[in-house]
Amino acid sequence: MTSHDYQLLIITVVSILLLIFLITSKLRFHPLLALLLTAIFVGFTSGLDIDKIVKSIETGAGSTLGETGVTIALGAMLGKILSDSGASDRIATAILKNATPQRLPWLMALAAFIIGIPMFFEVGLIMLLPLIFTIARKLEDSNTIKGSAYIAIGVPVIAALCTMHGMVPPHPGPLISVNQFGANIGLTMIYGMICAIPTIIIAGPLYGKFITPRLSVKPSDDLLQQYTNDSNLTTSQPISTALAFSTILVPVVMMLLHAIAGVCFKEQSLQYKVFEFLGSPIIAMFIGVLYALLTLGYLRGQDTQQLRDALGSSLKPIAGIMLIIAGGGAFGQVLEDSGVGTSIVHLADQFSLSALLMGWIVAALLSISTGSATVGIVGATNLLFPLIQADSSINVELLTIAIGSGSLFFNYVNHGGFWLVKESFGMSMGETFKTITIVQSIVGLCGLVMVLLLNAVINLF
């Protein structure tokens, strides 16, 4: 560790405190402005050139919007079609049928577990928002739950999606480590599932039951109207439950086929390239929107101008969300370009720990400091690779899961997912911390514990 390393770590801590102050103090800065101001502060204090600061902000914001912005917009369109046609209400009714309020969080965790197999966290959440809001609103109207129904239904979904995103291949993060370490992807998936199930239960339904009575979260009226209104496009033709479910599952199945193709075909084969194209989040969501337009709109005789207006109006409530996420990307990129990640690696090098624990810690610190789980995974993977080559006794499959779970730990203000959850559910900073930040911290810690336990069991045989 050099003095510059310590300086960068101090700057990182101060920048996060500054960001929190700007948003929560009497200044009440808009999150986008606060993120940009904090990013500039980090750039100047860390010694980045002026032109590099601008470049980092543009790159971070642009890449974040490029990765998630269009997908979120398509997800909003799909959600609008589902809600206006009554399809989301039909799905909610099917789930609520014969389900007690106590069972609903478990059912939603199961649904998110399945959907989360092929989907990124942000994509899965956008896909499930119509369902979360519709079920939560019905639960709220029934007066059978104390506290926020949106937290009761949303927390299990958040827990399941983020767990699958970081710990189970074929998500890109775990695949990075699988490929670098030469791990067995099938065995990694099995170990990942074993670690994921108890993790989801603890971070999802159980923590949700604890935190629900303590929060009174309710999304904005605009988003609630967008995702729970079932009257605008409804005709006399009833929507079947099978059709409603097929509409939401089309992009899920396409992404899942892409994941399966990664196991069955070589990356250079034509089959893999076809599934890779069709299963990419943007294309899968785009085809899902077209399928919904066809089955829930055109074939049911909906007015085409009304459909177009509905899709246009669906983008208004989420425009601010996308810009805030872009601001988070800019902040994270400036932190990364300032060299914070290198300082974290130097800090980790000073401690003598087992490979599994070292991988988790490095991934967690890099993810926290840079705002990117992927950066955490890549950094930890590269740092641990020489150790893998020197010690063949290390279980590389479990190390992959340890690194993935570490990358999920403490999702906070420089993560795009933090702002997506905050703005989607209409939370304050404190409420967002108590939900996604605590949930992902539980996921990260439970993932580590499960990895260590599984490693101990394997070593016995």
Side-chain angles (χ1 to χ4, degrees):
M1 290 285 291
T2 65
S3 59
H4 184 61
D5 290 329
Y6 286 112
Q7 179 185 348
L8 288 176
L9 294 177
I10 293 172
I11 289 171
T12 300
V13 174
V14 172
S15 68
I16 292 175
L17 294 176
L18 173 62
L19 179 61
I20 296 171
F21 170 77
L22 290 173
I23 295 174
T24 60
S25 69
K26 291 183 179 180
L27 295 175
R28 289 292 187 270
F29 261 53
H30 187 278
L32 175 61
L33 298 179
L35 285 163
L36 292 177
L37 181 58
T38 308
I40 294 171
F41 165 80
V42 171
F44 277 113
T45 55
S46 64
L48 286 179
D49 293 335
I50 294 178
D51 57 342
K52 181 60 177 177
I53 296 174
V54 176
K55 181 75 172 177
S56 294
I57 291 174
E58 291 176 347
T59 300
S63 62
T64 302
L65 279 180
E67 291 173 359
T68 61
V70 177
T71 306
I72 290 173
L74 291 170
M77 289 183 173
L78 180 57
K80 183 66 172 175
I81 298 172
L82 288 170
S83 62
D84 281 2
S85 66
S88 58
D89 188 69
R90 173 68 68 178
I91 296 171
T93 301
I95 293 177
L96 286 167
K97 187 179 181 180
N98 301 322
T100 63
Q102 292 73 27
R103 290 178 58 193
L104 278 174
W106 296 86
L107 290 173
M108 290 303 294
L110 176 61
F113 173 83
I114 296 171
I115 287 178
I117 292 174
M119 282 197 173
F120 288 94
F121 172 81
E122 292 85 357
V123 180
L125 184 61
I126 287 294
M127 278 288 299
L128 287 171
L129 276 182
L131 195 56
I132 294 171
F133 287 177
T134 302
I135 291 178
R137 194 167 196 172
K138 288 178 179 292
L139 194 59
E140 185 180 50
D141 293 340
S142 67
N143 294 318
T144 57
I145 189 170
K146 181 182 178 182
S148 171
Y150 300 92
I151 293 297
I153 301 300
V155 162
V157 170
I158 292 170
L161 289 175
C162 71
T163 300
M164 300 303 289
H165 178 83
M167 293 169 58
V168 183
H171 277 286
L175 275 181
I176 292 171
S177 298
V178 167
N179 294 331
Q180 181 80 348
F181 295 154
N184 183 300
I185 188 169
L187 199 56
T188 306
M189 290 180 72
I190 293 173
Y191 289 163
M193 292 288 187
I194 293 173
C195 295
I197 292 173
T199 297
I200 292 171
I201 290 173
I202 295 170
L206 295 184
Y207 178 69
K209 183 178 181 180
F210 168 79
I211 196 63
T212 293
R214 294 165 171 78
L215 296 178
S216 56
V217 168
K218 186 172 184 178
S220 68
D221 291 337
D222 288 342
L223 280 176
L224 281 178
Q225 183 179 8
Q226 171 163 324
Y227 287 130
T228 62
N229 176 32
D230 61 357
S231 60
N232 288 350
L233 299 178
T234 302
T235 67
S236 58
Q237 304 176 39
I239 296 175
S240 68
T241 302
L243 176 59
F245 272 100
S246 73
T247 307
I248 200 171
L249 288 175
V250 163
V252 177
V253 171
M254 294 182 67
M255 293 185 201
L256 183 59
L257 289 175
H258 174 209
I260 295 173
V263 179
C264 298
F265 304 110
K266 295 181 178 180
E267 289 191 9
Q268 301 304 319
S269 66
L270 177 62
Q271 297 94 325
Y272 177 80
K273 290 184 179 296
V274 170
F275 284 112
E276 181 183 34
F277 172 76
L278 295 177
S280 62
I282 289 180
I283 299 300
M285 291 295 293
F286 175 62
I287 293 176
V289 172
L290 293 181
Y291 176 80
L293 271 176
L294 180 66
T295 57
L296 301 179
Y298 298 142
L299 294 181
R300 297 181 69 240
Q302 301 293 352
D303 181 81
T304 54
Q305 184 61 46
Q306 190 178 10
L307 279 170
R308 177 176 173 173
D309 292 342
L311 294 181
S313 65
S314 71
L315 300 178
K316 296 177 182 178
I318 55 97
I321 296 176
M322 289 194 294
L323 289 175
I324 291 171
I325 292 173
F331 179 38
Q333 186 67 48
V334 173
L335 280 173
E336 182 179 346
D337 290 345
S338 68
V340 171
T342 304
S343 299
I344 293 294
V345 172
H346 290 166
L347 178 65
D349 280 339
Q350 294 189 354
F351 300 94
S352 178
L353 302 170
S354 70
L356 296 179
L357 189 56
M358 176 67 79
W360 187 92
I361 291 174
V362 173
L365 292 175
L366 287 174
S367 177
I368 293 168
S369 61
T370 64
S372 171
T374 301
V375 171
I377 290 173
V378 171
T381 299
N382 290 333
L383 178 66
L384 272 293
F385 184 63
L387 187 60
I388 298 300
Q389 292 178 309
D391 187 355
S392 60
S393 66
I394 296 173
N395 189 312
V396 292
E397 288 79 20
L398 288 179
L399 179 57
T400 295
I401 301 168
I403 290 173
S405 60
S407 73
L408 298 171
F409 184 75
F410 205 77
N411 180 306
Y412 204 38
V413 290
N414 56 341
H415 286 73
F418 179 91
W419 297 103
L420 178 61
V421 171
K422 179 184 183 301
E423 299 302 318
S424 296
F425 286 85
M427 299 181 189
S428 66
M429 291 288 288
E431 290 167 338
T432 316
F433 177 84
K434 293 174 184 177
T435 50
I436 185 171
T437 303
I438 298 299
V439 165
Q440 292 209 194
S441 296
I442 294 173
V443 168
L445 290 171
C446 286
L448 174 62
V449 171
M450 287 301 302
V451 164
L452 295 177
L453 288 175
L454 196 54
N455 185 58
V457 171
I458 293 172
N459 288 336
L460 289 177
F461 296 96

